[in-house]
Amino acid sequence: MTLQCPGCSSTQMKVYDFHGEEVDSCQKCGGIWFENGELNRALSAADNGDDNVRVEETLGQHIGSAKRECVHCDCTLEHYHLMDGYQIEVDVCHTCSGVWIDEHERTKVVQSPQVKALLAKLDAKISAKTWLFQFLSQMPVEFNIKPKRQPVITYLLLALNICIFAAYGFDLNMADRAFDSFAMRASDIVSGTHTWTLLSHMFMHGDLMHLAGNMYFLYVVGDNLEDSLGRLRFLGLYLVCGFAAAAAQIAADPTSGIYMVGASGAIAGLFGMYLLWFRHASLTFMFVVYQKKLSPMAFFAIWLAFNILGLMMAGEGVAYWAHIGGFVAGLIIGVMLKSKVMASNPILAMMNEPEVKVAR
């Protein structure tokens, strides 16, 4: 019997091997028709981390009539999301339980079990322990993909910053000498002196809270970025963002004699890259006692708003221009490298598909 394609009405349907299942594929539009149970068996056989897929029994939201006809039955197909949280649209026959997918959906459907497993982790509920940690520390908690390898450079940066602070941070006389030699002042750089402080200032901090805050944020975003970039490139871009932050602060007030120290500008650059590459992640934000998961876009918008507000209020003691400069540098790097990073990180690319919807 000649079958008519639900997608383009062609009669050029031929038998096609799809991960061990003999399915009907349209030679014109590339869509595939699965008989009842064939999609489950094909996905279970595919290399996607799940050998017992039951997607046909756990389809997502019904989104109306598909305005396509079943290849066997005299009835209209119904439109469904493939599963909750992954809004790939498939067409289903309520009479024979056949399923139709379009050609551009093939790879996404095959990898859907991986998406499901990752979403289960990303959508995890906030625990009482997480709430207590953030209430006491006022630091966010991250929900993100686990890195494939140890973030060696991130750990080394953490250790280096902590060790440097320990060498001077608990002795006022030692701190004064360290700041005189290694903290950056815009006026010095403009006059061509103490140029090494463009680098050294990134590894110094004013007090223990300053250090703790910066190191925590480096720990939160550094592991995923190092994993996606590679170790040496991550280190290089971290330093580039730090230099960009220093340049922004110097440009804003080239005659300033105020010491500038801290990894904040470099870490702000990491924020920019993280925002563009990890849209699926969540960062918790504490509103007094109410804890809420936010997207990186929402979280860093709040962070940026605080920095702009601080700049407008002309607050001293915080290098707001460095934060903003580092963040902008990170955004620029993020845009420039996004396609390359996604190409070399298939799981990250998959989680950045617009069909992936994280519960927050």
Side-chain angles (χ1 to χ4, degrees):
M1 182 179 69
T2 301
L3 301 180
Q4 186 173 22
C5 172
C8 65
S9 299
S10 167
T11 56
Q12 300 179 44
M13 297 282 286
K14 291 188 178 181
V15 175
Y16 170 76
D17 182 83
F18 188 77
H19 297 282
E21 291 295 312
E22 291 188 349
V23 299
D24 297 298
S25 177
C26 178
Q27 303 301 293
K28 184 176 180 181
C29 71
I32 302 178
W33 176 259
F34 296 89
E35 304 290 353
N36 183 21
E38 285 182 341
L39 181 57
N40 280 342
R41 293 192 295 271
L43 296 187
S44 296
D47 182 17
N48 54 28
D50 189 346
D51 58 3
N52 188 29
V53 179
R54 310 306 301 169
V55 69
E56 290 184 31
E57 290 82 5
T58 58
L59 290 171
Q61 181 182 359
H62 178 226
I63 49 179
S65 173
K67 297 181 181 178
R68 291 173 171 177
E69 299 295 323
C70 175
V71 301
H72 295 304
C73 311
D74 187 19
C75 62
T76 301
L77 298 177
E78 297 297 320
H79 229 24
Y80 283 85
H81 287 151
L82 181 65
M83 64 185 193
D84 292 332
Y86 198 29
Q87 297 179 355
I88 300 297
E89 297 180 359
V90 298
D91 302 323
V92 179
C93 176
H94 283 178
T95 302
C96 69
S97 298
V99 180
W100 172 263
I101 65 170
D102 293 316
E103 182 181 30
H104 68 277
E105 297 167 340
R106 288 189 188 193
T107 301
K108 294 178 181 180
V109 169
V110 170
Q111 297 305 322
S112 61
Q114 282 186 286
V115 175
K116 183 177 182 179
L118 291 169
L119 283 174
K121 297 176 182 178
L122 296 174
D123 293 343
K125 292 184 178 180
I126 299 172
S127 66
K129 184 167 137 185
T130 297
W131 181 92
L132 182 61
F133 168 80
Q134 187 164 22
F135 179 73
L136 295 174
S137 69
Q138 294 301 302
M139 295 293 185
V141 177
E142 181 196 34
F143 292 78
N144 201 352
I145 297 172
K146 186 177 180 180
K148 301 184 294 293
R149 56 185 175 175
Q150 290 291 330
V152 174
I153 297 300
T154 299
Y155 290 159
L156 287 175
L157 287 171
L158 290 169
L160 183 59
N161 277 276
I162 292 169
C163 289
I164 288 174
F165 181 81
Y168 72 83
F170 302 102
D171 184 320
L172 289 177
N173 291 328
M174 182 70 74
D176 287 340
R177 291 197 295 273
F179 270 56
D180 285 339
S181 299
F182 300 109
M184 190 192 82
R185 292 189 296 186
S187 57
D188 288 341
I189 302 302
V190 171
S191 66
T193 61
H194 291 79
T195 52
W196 62 85
T197 62
L198 284 167
L199 175 64
S200 61
H201 84 278
M202 299 183 212
F203 299 93
M204 300 183 67
H205 291 83
D207 55 42
L208 198 56
M209 291 303 295
H210 186 204
L211 173 72
N214 277 347
M215 294 305 97
Y216 181 76
F217 277 108
L218 174 58
Y219 171 77
V220 166
V221 303
D223 58 349
N224 291 106
L225 288 169
E226 182 178 341
D227 191 50
S228 61
L229 284 165
R231 289 167 180 162
L232 292 181
R233 183 175 292 171
F234 170 74
L235 176 60
L237 293 177
Y238 176 87
L239 295 176
V240 166
C241 290
F243 291 136
Q249 190 66 34
I250 293 168
D253 191 359
T255 62
S256 175
I258 298 174
Y259 287 125
M260 174 178 157
V261 294
S264 306
I267 295 168
L270 301 185
F271 289 170
M273 287 179 267
Y274 187 95
L275 167 63
L276 293 178
W277 300 343
F278 294 92
R279 56 173 291 275
H280 59 269
S282 295
L283 295 163
T284 58
F285 191 85
M286 183 71 80
F287 299 90
V288 188
V289 297
Y290 175 67
Q291 191 181 37
K292 169 68 177 171
K293 282 184 179 181
L294 298 179
S295 68
M297 177 70 75
F299 185 89
F300 292 125
I302 294 171
W303 173 85
L304 185 61
F306 276 122
N307 277 275
I308 293 173
L309 181 63
L311 190 63
M312 292 174 62
M313 295 177 67
E316 294 187 0
V318 179
Y320 292 110
W321 274 114
H323 295 177
I324 295 170
F327 185 67
V328 171
L331 288 176
I332 293 171
I333 292 169
V335 170
M336 292 175 62
L337 294 184
K338 185 172 183 179
S339 59
K340 188 171 185 178
V341 168
M342 295 302 152
S344 60
N345 295 273
I347 291 178
L348 181 59
M350 184 169 58
M351 295 306 292
N352 272 275
E353 294 287 350
E355 293 90 353
V356 175
K357 304 297 180 184
V358 178
R360 296 189 173 97

